[in-house]
Amino acid sequence: MKKRQTVTLKHIAEALNLSVSTVSRSLKNHKDISQETINLVKAKAKELNYFPNIFAQGFRNKRTHMIGVVVPNITHYYTSTLLEGILDEAEKKGYHVIIMGSKDSYKKQIELLDTMIHLGVDGILLSLTRDTQNINQIIKYIEQVPLILFDKVSRKVPCTQVIIDEEQAGFNAVKHLIEIGKKRIAIFKETEDSFNSMRRYEGYLRALKTYNLPVDESIILSSKNIPMEQGRILAETLLQNPNRPDAVFCITDSCAVGAMQTFKKHHLKVPQDIAIVGFSNSLISQVVEPQITTINQPGIKVGQTAINYLIDEIDHPNVNFMDYKTVAIKTNLIVRNSTVLIP
Amino acid sequence: MKKRQTVTLKHIAEALNLSVSTVSRSLKNHKDISQETINLVKAKAKELNYFPNIFAQGFRNKRTHMIGVVVPNITHYYTSTLLEGILDEAEKKGYHVIIMGSKDSYKKQIELLDTMIHLGVDGILLSLTRDTQNINQIIKYIEQVPLILFDKVSRKVPCTQVIIDEEQAGFNAVKHLIEIGKKRIAIFKETEDSFNSMRRYEGYLRALKTYNLPVDESIILSSKNIPMEQGRILAETLLQNPNRPDAVFCITDSCAVGAMQTFKKHHLKVPQDIAIVGFSNSLISQVVEPQITTINQPGIKVGQTAINYLIDEIDHPNVNFMDYKTVAIKTNLIVRNSTVLIP
DNA sequence: TCTTTTTCCGCAAACGTTTGCGGGTTGAAT
DNA sequence: ATTCAACCCGCAAACGTTTGCGGAAAAAGA
């Protein structure tokens, strides 16, 4: 390993018999410098393959052009689409991204945020862990650095938030079930500490209300989190119900797959006997038989939107504390064979 | 947004009536400093919540404690497990990670590597794009900064490489098919420019040879890349074969799922009529019916191993150019219903 | 011709940390 | 009492970039 090349302003200055300051100013088109000199400097800079030393810059100014991203779990498919949007957009705008995973631990989340601050990031994109109760801790960070919430958010935190329109998505899912003639629609959801699940549930309720269907607590099933196994368990529970529903809206695709497996095991026909709608349009929703009708979440767009709002906030630090907004990205329903028979 | 707190060595020095240099040395246990002073300084540092300015440090020394990771595609599930291993291990070792995606473009890959160098990363973890022909470009980077290849690698690049033992995995997959009594085993693979696929294919050949089965070119099917759709197409092709195979080893899980869909469409029984082995142990291999026997790749371990070798190389820059090695992480076969009937 | 303005550029300080060097103090050895 | 280590610690320079300030040269006005 050789020492890496390191051409500095000084080299350009010496080659051109100019001062370092003139070179520095030329490269950023300072008005004090003649166009002639500017051209000269830029040419020489390109010739020598000059690149500013990020650390000297970040040290002198306070800008580092780095953005920190903290998410609960990196290996989740939807998360990776969010990250893709973030990374692409960041690169376009000349920012670099540092990603860290909090493993859904509040304590770890705080540690990571501290690290980010100390690393000197210009701003932070945060997706909250499920057990984020102590909002005050988070608020302290907002006072130190531009921070916006995305995906897993909380209304209680006063900052800009970018999410998908969970409520509308839930509404559309149930509306679809109603439109295909289902009358008794169950829901498998998470317990109250999940913001996303709560909002989807609100959509469910609004749809029932809009179409004058009764709300029956006995077919509203919750559990702490919803992996596939939980879908099976809730499905078993549901089948105990003397008045079996003719459809179920599952808050996640995994849960929907688990539920479907159980229904099939009990020789129920999907969608004739019981229709299923999932959430996420994950890969598995497309490979099971029948394929699952689901909500498509444009993760890339959420990521892009989030980082653009963040960069905007970084560039305009004057914005008022109370001047934040919630941005809801629209979803779309993808209809497949778990709700309607397509030849 | 308030200005962020910025406790420097100077503050500690003034509070203790010491010089900045003494404080600096105390914090790194320099032998010139008395234990008494060291304790004093460390206590005050903690009290003031001092944290070294990364940029001043990275500027002064040449170490940045940042590691660059370049992968073809972030949204791939296996990639995300690799990243998880990398991120966790990096954090433990006090490094930060910058991730960038090359979108499987060679040109973009080069751009990203340049960016990483200019960013001043201490080392680079690289998973090659498929179309990486010009190895010389890559070698230039090796001369500038510690770099190791992982997952998607090339033997031609002289540096440490961390991969799974693809050949052994391929061998084990086919060996399993032979052991359950299959005699005529097809393979769906990628074309020659995929290192990983080539190695798995070699394992396939070795297994046939070991068990004295003939190699039949007519049931060795390749295509440029292998998504699910391609699995269906290759399966259709295979069914044209007058002498139908009784098993197929698919180089990816997606491909296996596609193939299975086609076989079922043609009313073939899996595994009785034709058995299937996939590769990756991805989520979809577990949700289709029947579930797919597949190779489990410990992505987290690969990631951990890769970054540990890299950090080692960073810490010992004296190592010789030719002193690199290839590390192959063992895989394991997960047997499911696509090869044997489990009640 | 002399002053005033404009244009263009260099000087030097500053950011926070690290480190070679040199100097002061202490205690022990001569 | 003098010398000599050993032990602590401070001075100052350096890393590459940015920027306020001041000044020389050229252009304009009188």
Side-chain angles (χ1 to χ4, degrees), chain A residues 1-5, chain B residues 140-146 317 321:
Chain A
M1 246 142 354
K2 311 295 152 48
K3 60 177 177 288
R4 60 185 75 176
Q5 56 157 9
Chain B
K140 282 205 309 191
Y141 293 105
I142 300 182
E143 294 169 0
Q144 294 184 53
V145 62
F321 235 76

Side-chain angles (χ1 to χ4, degrees), chain B residues 18-19 21-22 25 32-34 37 59-60:
Chain B
L18 288 172
S19 76
S21 34
T22 301
R25 276 189 266 252
D32 272 5
I33 309 294
S34 70
T37 309
F59 172 51
R60 181 58 162 78

Side-chain angles (χ1 to χ4, degrees), chain B residues 28-290:
Chain B
K28 30 184 61 65
N29 296 317
H30 194 286
K31 61 175 166 47
D32 272 5
I33 309 294
S34 70
Q35 194 56 50
E36 196 182 1
T37 309
I38 290 183
N39 295 339
L40 221 60
V41 169
K42 287 192 173 174
K44 181 60 82 175
K46 179 161 285 182
E47 178 192 331
L48 297 181
N49 192 25
Y50 166 80
F51 207 88
N53 181 316
I54 306 260
F55 289 90
Q57 273 184 329
F59 172 51
R60 181 58 162 78
N61 324 343
K62 286 307 186 185
R63 292 286 291 273
T64 63
H65 282 260
M66 293 213 259
I67 285 175
V69 176
V70 178
V71 292
N73 189 343
I74 311 169
T75 59
H76 195 289
Y77 172 73
Y78 179 60
T79 303
S80 69
T81 63
L82 292 170
L83 292 179
E84 186 176 5
I86 291 172
L87 290 169
D88 287 358
E89 200 67 14
E91 200 190 333
K92 276 187 203 157
K93 299 290 171 64
Y95 281 84
H96 304 290
V97 176
I98 298 191
I99 300 169
M100 299 188 184
S102 59
K103 294 174 181 290
D104 232 320
S105 147
Y106 177 72
K107 185 157 167 292
K108 177 139 194 162
Q109 177 175 257
I110 295 296
E111 285 175 18
L112 295 184
L113 289 172
D114 275 330
T115 306
M116 290 292 187
I117 297 282
H118 288 317
L119 250 179
V121 296
D122 288 345
I124 293 178
L125 245 35
L126 173 62
S127 180
L128 293 173
T129 62
R130 177 187 293 264
D131 60 342
T132 302
Q133 258 94 34
N134 191 349
I135 301 298
N136 295 331
Q137 282 259 37
I138 306 292
I139 293 182
K140 282 205 309 191
Y141 293 105
I142 300 182
E143 294 169 0
Q144 294 184 53
V145 62
L147 182 153
I148 91 177
L149 254 33
F150 74 113
D151 193 33
K152 305 273 195 297
V153 307
S154 162
R155 284 279 162 81
K156 299 186 207 149
V157 182
C159 69
T160 294
Q161 323 208 344
V162 179
I163 49 178
I164 63 165
D165 194 337
E166 310 271 5
E167 201 271 350
Q168 183 69 38
F171 179 87
N172 288 342
V174 177
K175 177 182 169 214
H176 168 68
L177 288 171
I178 295 171
E179 285 177 347
I180 61 173
K182 301 299 181 181
K183 303 286 186 202
R184 184 166 162 76
I185 302 169
I187 181 171
F188 290 178
K189 69 181 186 63
E190 297 181 355
T191 40
E192 284 67 22
D193 59 351
S194 164
F195 176 86
N196 304 44
S197 172
M198 271 304 287
R199 304 285 296 147
R200 293 171 199 177
Y201 176 53
E202 287 167 16
Y204 165 85
L205 291 177
R206 180 161 67 91
L208 293 187
K209 190 171 176 187
T210 303
Y211 291 90
N212 292 314
L213 290 181
V215 175
D216 181 350
E217 294 282 352
S218 76
I219 55 175
I220 297 174
L221 273 46
S222 309
S223 73
K224 186 154 176 56
N225 49 4
I226 300 269
M228 200 175 303
E229 174 59 17
Q230 198 61 32
R232 296 194 197 101
I233 294 171
L234 292 182
E236 292 286 358
T237 307
L238 194 69
L239 293 180
Q240 306 295 322
N241 196 302
N243 185 6
R244 179 165 56 72
D246 52 11
V248 53
F249 170 36
C250 296
I251 234 69
T252 70
D253 275 347
S254 297
C255 168
V257 169
M260 191 161 72
Q261 289 172 346
T262 297
F263 294 149
K264 283 166 71 175
K265 204 177 77 185
H266 285 269
H267 305 295
L268 292 176
K269 281 188 182 160
V270 177
Q272 297 93 325
D273 298 331
I274 188 159
I276 301 177
V277 175
F279 208 108
S280 282
N281 190 25
S282 59
L283 247 186
I284 58 169
S285 71
Q286 305 169 42
V287 300
V288 290
E289 190 62 39

